Every structure is written in structure tokens, then in C-alpha cells.
Amino acid sequence: MSIYAEQPVGATTDENGVMTPAMPATDPLVDRMRPFGTTIFAEMSALAARTGAVNLGQGFPDTDGPPEMLDAAVAALRAGRNQYPPGPGIPELRGAVAAHQRRFWGVEYDPDGEVLITAGATEAIAAAILALCEPGDEVVCFEPYYDSYAACVALAHATRRPVTLRPDDNGRYGFDHEALRAAFSPRTRVVLLNSPHNPTGKVFGREELTLIAELCKEYNAVAVTDEVYEHLVYSDASGPHVPLATLPGMRARTLRISSAGKTFSCTGWKIGWISGPRPLVSAVLRVKQFLTFVNGAPFQPAVAVALGLSDEYYDTFRVELQAKRDLLSAGLVEAGFSVLPPEGTYFVTADITALGGRDGVEFCLALPERCGVVAVPTQVFYDDADAGRHIVRFAFCKRPEVLAEAVERIRRL
Ligand code: PMP
Ligand code: GLN
């Protein structure tokens, strides 16, 4: 009988008799990450690739960003800007981020100490939550929420307190103000606000923001604002984009996040930034330095160039996206969807009930076969999945001919 008779199944022994134990048969992933599975964006893009469907799932543009930015990236790469940039980001990008916020939103940040460059907005969100939340702290957010929010809150051993956005009779998403008030408690550490909002396309109005600001102050919470769609608010929106940090008393307690991916159609570059008062930014930096340390050396100077582009760039970008929104929305209406009109972002959500759909996941999994289009079920972005079970999201950040093809296919439904 082997002296290794008791070794666990799957263990190996080398020629010297040294045993390597088997991995346990159970899932090695920590408990708190198990509910998350694979992100819906990766899953739906894989489905599109597998089926050859038009991918209106994951939100990425199918054209390149401004040529000035692309040229600057090539030049930076050729000029040898390929080694670690400084931890907080290169000074010219931090300066450009500060100048951009002054120019568009009238809010001042010192590029030295109040602005930090991150690996996309995603890292900024993760580093902010990990930097601010003790185990058991609570994070108030609105659902449906961007999927990384829930995962980051879980990584921090914090608890999410979602407030549900629901469409009214006109398809405009709103929330119960008393429910928001009830979501706050003495354990509230962070309010995580995304406006313009993915996936609903909602742009939070001044009155709503004022209530959020009052509650942040009353409960001494930090606001972390995800404003990656800051330049995508359409002309028929009920109001402009208002950064929460511009409301009275809020600059001192807000970390403002944005990134280049959406505004400059370069989602794969992963250049983002976070701005706020020095102590908050310093706390984020102390976590961020151990996540990625730094990223995207040659892309940083290129994004600095992009941020400084003329108003014409930003206006044209928005006008073109609005036309795309209208093209896709009209096609969806024609096909029988109840469209919930978005005021901003890359996305339009639609109710599938009138088409006989009851479950968005089932509907989206069947859609490539039914008509050759991929969409994303929004129920995966809710704690209260029933609130979004009948709602799916389409991305319209695609070339007009791609949208026209998608509309043609959707008509087959
Ligand atoms: N927040 C929201 C609301 C988003 O839609 C996205 C996707 N672009 C991100 C954050 C992530 O941004 P980034 O790609 O810059 O990490
Ligand atoms: N933000 C994009 C979306 O909502 C995708 C981001 C991702 O793939 N993680 O579709």
C-alpha cells in the first residue's frame, strides 16, 4: 500500500516523493464574489461573436476617436513614452483634466493633489470604494446600477443600499424620495451616483441632486459620482448635466469620476480620472497605487490633447449620437417595443411586454436566433430583479449603417 494512500484525489507526487496537494474540489473563489459570475457585457459580446449577430449589447463605439488624439498617441509611442508614468498621472493630463472641468462645469481642482489618473473609471470606482469603506459600511446607489458597483462594494465587505429607478407612465425613470431617505443610515459612508445614468439614460435633475446633496450632508457621507457620460445629454433632455460637486457644500465631500472611453470613443485605452478635495484624492491614491500603480503611458498625453479639443468636437459628437439614438428608438417602436426614452448616454432601454416577453434574460438569449441582434437584459443590474425583468438595453453608439441593419433585423420580430 502506498504511503500516499491518504493523499487527496488529484494530488501529484514527483520523482523525489514530494507531494503537491490537489486544489480543493470546491470553488476556490471567496464567498463574497461568488454571486457575480461573468459580467453580462463579456457574456453578451461572446454571444454576438458566436452567432454573428449585430452587437448592440456591450457599449463600445465602432469608430475611432478624434484623429488629433490618435496622432498624439502614435507620436507618444514613437517618442518613447512607454515606461511607467508618475503614480498620479502625467502632469499634462492632470492639467488638462482640471482645465476641462473648469471649462465645462466651472469647478476648480488643483492638478497637483486634487486630480488622479486611473485605469478607466472602473479603477477609480474600485479604488474609491476600497479606500473609503470599512467592513459593514453602507453604500447608497440607484438600481439598475453599473455592474462593477455591486462587486466593488462586496470586495470592500460593505453593504449596498439600492434605491430603485422606475419608469413613470411617460417612460421617464424616477425614484421615490422617501425610499432614498430611508436608504440612508448612520452606517452610510458613500453615495455612488451615476448621471447621466447607464443603463436607463436618465439625467438626474437639479431637484433630485439637491435631495441627494442634503442627505449626504445630513449623514456625513462622501459622494462618489460616475460621470463618464457627462458630454452625452441630448437636446430634448429636461435639463443639462449638473455635476453633484457643483451644488452648495458638495465639492468638499465629492469624488468626481470620468474617463476618456466614452467621450473620445476609445474604450479600450482605459484612461480615467478622479477629482476631489486633497484628503479624499490622497486616500484613493493610496489604494490605487497597489491596484494598477499606473497605466496607459502613451495614451495619457493623447487624452490630454483630446480634452482640449474645440467645442465643435463635443457638439458634433453629441448631435451625432442623438441622431443614432433617434434612429434606433424609432426602429424599436416600429417593432413593437415600448421605448423608455433616454435623455443621455449610449443606451436606450425598452419594455418587452408588448412583444410577449416576460423575462429579459430569456429574451436576450433568444434574440440572436430570432433576429440576429444582441441586447442586454437589465434585470442583472438590480437587487430587485423583478423591477427590471421586462426591460432590455440596446447600445446605439454604432455607425448609422450598422444601426440601420439592426433596425431592419429587429423588424423581423
Ligand atoms: N461607469 C459607467 C456608468 C459605465 O457605463 C462604464 C463603461 N464605460 C464605466 C463606468 C467604465 O468606464 P471605463 O471604461 O472608463 O473604465
Ligand atoms: N460600459 C459598457 C456598457 O455598459 C461596457 C463596459 C464593460 O464591458 N465592462 O455596456
Side-chain angles (χ1 to χ4, degrees):
M1 195 175 165
S2 161
I3 57 166
Y4 299 113
E6 285 179 23
Q7 76 185 30
V9 176
T12 54
T13 306
D14 69 13
E15 65 273 18
N16 302 316
V18 177
M19 188 187 87
T20 304
M23 287 296 287
T26 50
D27 185 350
L29 184 64
V30 290
D31 279 350
R32 62 189 183 282
M33 290 306 291
R34 283 192 202 168
F36 295 101
T38 306
T39 115
I40 190 72
F41 305 115
E43 219 169 287
M44 298 319 277
S45 279
L47 180 64
R50 217 164 45 236
T51 58
V54 178
N55 187 359
L56 304 186
Q58 194 177 26
F60 61 89
D62 57 357
T63 49
D64 278 333
E68 299 90 329
M69 177 184 83
L70 302 177
D71 290 345
V74 172
L77 204 126
R78 291 281 176 215
R81 301 186 75 172
N82 299 307
Q83 309 310 326
Y84 298 130
I90 59 168
E92 66 202 275
L93 179 54
R94 283 186 277 117
V97 166
H100 171 270
Q101 300 190 79
R102 183 183 317 118
R103 169 179 162 197
F104 285 98
W105 314 118
V107 52
E108 288 287 341
Y109 293 105
D110 181 348
D112 295 320
E114 294 191 322
V115 175
L116 176 60
I117 307 307
T118 55
T122 307
E123 189 196 33
I125 293 160
I129 301 287
L130 290 169
L132 296 175
C133 292
E134 297 286 4
D137 280 353
E138 293 179 359
V139 176
V140 173
C141 58
F142 292 89
E143 67 176 8
Y145 41 71
Y146 185 57
D147 67 347
S148 84
Y149 295 5
C152 289
V153 170
L155 283 172
H157 294 273
T159 304
R160 58 183 183 270
R161 297 291 305 269
V163 177
T164 307
L165 297 173
R166 297 178 199 278
D168 64 15
D169 292 342
N170 301 317
R172 282 200 48 155
Y173 285 87
F175 60 92
D176 177 354
H177 290 197
E178 280 318 306
L180 178 64
R181 205 176 280 284
F184 279 76
S185 85
R187 294 293 328 237
T188 307
R189 177 64 172 140
V190 165
V191 178
L192 186 45
L193 175 71
N194 171 217
S195 182
H197 182 263
N198 175 11
T200 65
K202 175 181 173 62
V203 178
F204 282 70
R206 193 171 280 277
E207 202 189 315
E208 293 168 327
L209 295 170
T210 301
L211 175 62
I212 296 167
E214 275 167 12
L215 290 166
C216 282
K217 288 184 261 183
E218 188 179 330
Y219 287 88
N220 197 23
V222 176
V224 175
T225 63
D226 174 348
E227 303 179 45
V228 299
Y229 301 100
E230 60 190 327
H231 288 291
L232 288 176
V233 173
Y234 302 118
S235 62
D236 48 7
S238 42
H241 173 56
V242 178
L244 189 63
T246 62
L247 267 59
M250 288 307 289
R251 187 193 177 285
R253 58 173 66 249
T254 301
L255 281 165
R256 239 198 123 227
I257 294 170
S258 192
S259 77
K262 303 299 145 100
T263 304
F264 304 116
S265 305
C266 56
T267 59
W269 285 14
K270 298 299 285 189
I271 301 294
W273 47 89
I274 185 162
S275 316
R278 212 168 284 273
L280 286 178
V281 169
S282 163
V284 177
L285 175 58
R286 279 176 281 159
V287 171
K288 182 258 185 298
Q289 66 184 338
F290 297 119
L291 294 177
T292 54
F293 178 43
V294 292
N295 75 299
F299 302 126
Q300 292 199 17
V303 171
V305 168
L307 285 165
L309 289 173
S310 68
D311 288 355
E312 196 197 337
Y313 169 77
Y314 292 93
D315 292 341
T316 307
F317 173 63
R318 190 183 56 249
V319 167
E320 284 180 4
L321 257 298
Q322 182 162 345
K324 293 175 179 188
R325 175 199 67 170
D326 294 343
L327 173 62
L328 181 61
S329 301
L332 290 171
V333 168
E334 220 178 292
F337 286 91
S338 309
V339 166
L340 307 166
E343 299 194 323
T345 76
Y346 273 1
F347 309 110
V348 53
T349 56
D351 187 326
I352 57 175
T353 315
L355 284 163
R358 304 247 302 273
D359 182 285
V361 170
E362 270 172 32
F363 185 88
C364 289
L365 288 176
L367 204 58
E369 192 152 315
R370 287 179 71 191
C371 73
V373 171
V374 160
V376 165
T378 67
Q379 65 187 260
V380 300
F381 306 130
Y382 293 80
D383 282 17
D384 175 10
D386 281 340
R389 200 171 298 284
H390 55 298
I391 299 176
V392 301
R393 186 195 85 173
F394 295 87
F396 52 78
C397 48
K398 306 292 173 184
R399 282 169 290 138
E401 60 271 30
V402 173
L403 293 174
E405 171 65 26
V407 165
E408 196 52 45
R409 293 177 179 208
I410 288 167
R411 278 210 194 97
R412 289 182 210 153
L413 274 178

